[in-house]
Amino acid sequence: IEVTDRFPPMDAPPAPPPPSSEDKAEEPEEVPAVPVAGGLDGSRKLHPTVTVSDNPSEVFAVRWSPDGKYVAAGFGDGSLCVFQSDTGKVAFELQKGSAAALPATALRFRPVVDPSKTKNVLVATNAVGAIQHWHMTSCKCLRTSEEPDNQIFAVDYSAQGDFFVTGGKDATVRVYDEATRKCTSELRGGAGFGVGSSAGHSNRIFSVKTHPEDPNVVLSGGWDNTVQVWDLREQRSVRSIYGPHLCGDALDVCVSRDPNTVLTGSWRPDKPLELWDLGTGKLFKHVDWTQSLLASQPCLLYSAQYSKGSTPGRFFAAGGSGANEARVFEASPEGDAELVGTIVGMAPRGFFIHWSPPK
């Protein structure tokens, strides 16, 4: 686990399968790549300010607490730990792992909106279909729910924290009421008949994202090379984005720009980082991701996310395997992307990116 400053000093110079031919989505029309400035010669290398290396197992998920004081992590042996963000020391050990356990796959802190509600609530999912609500500071599990015969790979809260959504192996997006922890909707393709049949996923879902302003809109993406835009009022997908091959939490939405933009990071060697128009579902821009700065191999993206805070969407970051690197970009109002810096030499296999809350 590494905590990297957004503006540090700069120095001078088992993976998922790629999309098969059967799963290959319709090719979008050719769109020019976003020009990237900022020294792709390697002159901007970001440095970690805190590194946590003494972990019980491989890291499968990380998340900042809403106050920025802690970083929660889920591991391959099922363990859950919370670290102090300034020192990297263990603050709370929520759950011990075991060699027989399956990985903890996704984490989200419940948004702090209503001061009367309990703070420091963390929801964790795992590959056996369990959803656990933890009270971080007391290390108590408040409740456990299950999705039988499913592996959950993604979870996200609504902006108000009144519901959360999950996605996983069975290609279904589920919506849960936060107060009752009961499933209120199951979103999948095939509803209706003929040309009126709704779209949906045909393979595993690896990322779900609630709209930051519209509580009726949820996005999801995964192995089937589509991002589905769901309307909770209609209980169906109302728009499909064709092309992104998501193998991790590599989906985000920015509403501070016109048009509202969807960021996707694909696990593929060519044109992995893309921006889409949320309103039309059409490709807006390719962000140029040239060959690795240190290795002669492409970067296959597992994670992509916009920055939050007072200027949401000003920055975005993405990273992945192969080249084992991550990059941070600054988006201009004209749609260009300036490379702020690169994180290189990371451990292989996966990347999980989350921006800290504003201080």
Side-chain angles (χ1 to χ4, degrees):
I1 302 171
E2 294 195 337
V3 179
T4 303
D5 195 323
R6 189 170 65 186
F7 298 113
M10 294 181 179
D11 278 352
S20 64
S21 58
E22 291 80 10
D23 290 336
K24 188 175 182 180
E26 176 184 344
E27 289 290 335
E29 59 183 305
E30 186 66 22
V31 174
V34 177
V36 174
L40 285 179
D41 58 356
S43 60
R44 295 189 171 193
K45 187 169 67 173
L46 302 185
H47 295 275
T49 58
V50 177
T51 300
V52 183
S53 57
D54 187 20
N55 299 309
S57 180
E58 290 181 299
V59 183
F60 271 70
V62 292
R63 205 74 182 174
W64 285 88
S65 63
D67 59 9
K69 295 180 180 179
Y70 303 101
V71 175
F75 297 92
D77 62 356
S79 58
L80 300 170
C81 293
V82 181
F83 302 89
Q84 296 177 3
S85 62
D86 56 347
T87 65
K89 295 181 179 179
V90 175
F92 309 102
E93 187 175 16
L94 304 183
Q95 180 170 271
K96 293 185 178 294
S98 72
L102 290 178
T105 53
L107 301 171
R108 289 293 188 275
F109 279 94
R110 186 169 69 190
V112 180
V113 178
D114 186 348
S116 66
K117 289 188 175 181
T118 304
K119 297 184 176 70
N120 299 314
V121 173
L122 175 71
V123 64
T125 63
N126 60 36
V128 294
I131 306 167
Q132 296 175 309
H133 280 74
W134 291 88
H135 184 239
M136 179 184 71
T137 52
S138 67
C139 298
K140 292 182 178 180
C141 184
L142 304 176
R143 182 162 181 170
T144 299
S145 307
E146 292 186 354
E147 294 181 7
D149 303 319
N150 191 25
Q151 295 178 349
I152 303 175
F153 301 130
V155 66
D156 197 33
Y157 266 109
S158 66
Q160 297 299 312
D162 54 342
F163 70 89
F164 62 93
V165 295
T166 65
K169 182 180 178 181
D170 67 357
T172 300
V173 175
R174 291 178 173 85
V175 183
Y176 290 85
D177 182 89
E178 172 62 14
T180 64
R181 296 344 190 241
K182 292 183 178 180
C183 181
T184 58
S185 301
E186 293 187 351
L187 308 176
R188 57 173 65 93
F193 301 93
V195 295
S197 178
S198 64
H201 289 292
S202 61
N203 212 325
R204 300 180 181 211
I205 297 170
F206 279 93
S207 186
V208 290
K209 193 69 59 176
T210 60
H211 194 282
E213 294 183 353
D214 190 341
N216 298 303
V217 177
V218 173
L219 291 83
S220 59
W223 273 4
D224 62 3
N225 304 331
T226 72
V227 169
Q228 300 295 335
V229 182
W230 306 88
D231 190 321
L232 300 186
R233 294 163 296 189
E234 299 186 26
Q235 298 285 293
R236 66 193 299 269
S237 173
V238 295
R239 190 169 301 111
S240 300
I241 295 174
Y242 298 100
H245 183 73
L246 306 189
C247 294
D249 194 8
L251 173 66
D252 207 356
V253 182
C254 177
V255 296
S256 63
R257 296 181 178 275
D258 187 20
N260 289 181
T261 308
V262 177
L263 172 70
T264 61
S266 294
W267 197 87
R268 64 184 180 216
D270 299 320
K271 299 178 180 178
L273 192 59
E274 296 170 309
L275 303 173
W276 307 79
D277 186 327
L278 177 59
T280 64
K282 292 185 177 180
L283 183 62
F284 178 57
K285 294 286 186 181
H286 290 295
V287 179
D288 185 27
W289 193 297
T290 58
Q291 186 170 288
S292 167
L293 304 179
L294 297 182
S296 58
Q297 55 183 320
C299 188
L300 311 175
L301 300 184
Y302 275 104
S303 187
Q305 190 183 76
Y306 279 113
S307 62
K308 307 301 188 283
S310 59
T311 55
R314 178 184 174 187
F315 300 93
F316 56 91
S321 63
N324 298 325
E325 66 179 13
R327 297 184 184 182
V328 179
F329 300 88
E330 182 174 9
S332 73
E334 296 76 24
D336 297 339
E338 180 180 359
L339 182 65
V340 174
T342 302
I343 305 170
V344 298
M346 301 290 287
R349 302 207 180 195
F351 273 87
F352 309 91
I353 293 173
H354 189 218
W355 291 84
S356 67
K359 296 181 179 180

